[in-house]
Amino acid sequence: MEYNRIIAVTGLPGLFELVASKTDGAIVRSLDDKSTKFVSSRVHNFSHLESIEIYTVRDNVNLVEIFQAMEKSKTKLPDGKDAGALKDYFGEVYPDMDFERVYSSDMKKMVKWFESLQKSEVEIKLSERTEEEADEEADADEEVAEVTEAKPKTAKKKAAPKAESAEKEKAPAKETGAAKEKAPAKKADAEDTETEDAASAKPKKAAKKK
């Protein structure tokens, strides 16, 4: 039995092996009692274990990573009814788990699923197909990163004309400033002319008195 064929079905306890897919559902086999039955997709949702992720204090991890940590651990599986024991167990087995977002009900389910997988002797590992898909996603991310890095260069080229137009806009301001500097000079010339006229007018008045 392969791990990539194991699914969880909403509304039904335990895990199931996906035997066959139908347009309106699937034929599944229970890992607990080995019974086979048809499950309608109109009533239930199916979740492949390979697609389930768990919250951690860093990035999310695939559920298979938690199961593998549980396999390596020598700690006895806790009682699913004891929330404190569940948290202590996973705190030791996988301390990076985000216990604020992973609830006791989730940890209880993981323990039950792990026991079921062990009884059915399912090898807990991701399929080769999933690994290839992960590589393809990584390549796609690299392409997106390259496109993102190229965008600032285009922005710089477009910014150049704006700088030129700004300089053109500043040019009239300089001319206006120069005009303002010349204006007082004209007033000064006028004042000098008035002074000279006044000076020349005084001797004429003095000559009349004589």
Side-chain angles (χ1 to χ4, degrees), residues 51-166:
S51 66
I52 297 176
E53 293 186 339
I54 303 298
Y55 293 116
T56 73
V57 293
R58 297 190 298 273
D59 295 332
N60 297 348
V61 299
N62 193 285
L63 177 59
V64 73
E65 188 171 324
I66 306 296
F67 284 155
Q68 288 173 347
M70 294 170 72
E71 279 184 322
K72 294 177 183 178
S73 177
K74 296 180 181 179
T75 305
K76 184 180 178 181
L77 291 174
D79 182 1
K81 296 179 182 179
D82 189 342
L86 285 168
K87 187 173 182 179
D88 291 341
Y89 171 78
F90 283 103
E92 180 180 345
V93 172
Y94 207 92
D96 288 340
M97 186 179 293
D98 189 343
F99 294 101
E100 291 184 0
R101 294 189 289 175
V102 180
Y103 304 114
S104 298
S105 57
D106 300 321
M107 291 183 276
K108 179 181 179 180
K109 190 178 292 183
M110 284 189 283
V111 170
K112 285 187 175 182
W113 286 357
F114 180 72
E115 289 177 328
S116 182
L117 292 170
Q118 283 194 319
K119 289 178 181 178
S120 300
E121 298 180 351
V122 178
E123 185 178 3
I124 302 174
K125 69 174 184 178
L126 295 177
S127 63
E128 294 179 359
R129 180 182 177 185
T130 303
E131 292 175 357
E132 290 175 0
E133 290 176 353
D135 292 338
E136 291 177 0
E137 290 178 1
D139 293 338
D141 291 339
E142 289 178 1
E143 292 178 1
V144 172
E146 290 177 0
V147 172
T148 305
E149 291 175 359
K151 286 182 179 179
K153 295 181 180 178
T154 306
K156 289 180 180 178
K157 289 180 180 179
K158 291 182 179 179
K162 292 182 179 180
E164 292 177 1
S165 61

Side-chain angles (χ1 to χ4, degrees), residues 1-48:
M1 192 180 302
E2 297 179 358
Y3 182 78
N4 67 331
R5 297 193 64 81
I6 307 302
I7 64 173
V9 182
T10 58
L12 299 178
L15 295 175
F16 300 85
E17 179 187 7
L18 180 61
V19 178
S21 297
K22 302 291 183 180
T23 55
D24 57 346
I27 297 175
V28 299
R29 181 182 296 113
S30 172
L31 266 63
D32 295 329
D33 57 15
K34 309 303 179 185
S35 62
T36 302
K37 60 182 176 181
F38 172 78
V39 179
S40 173
S41 58
R42 295 180 180 179
V43 181
H44 304 277
N45 292 324
F46 310 101
S47 299
H48 283 268

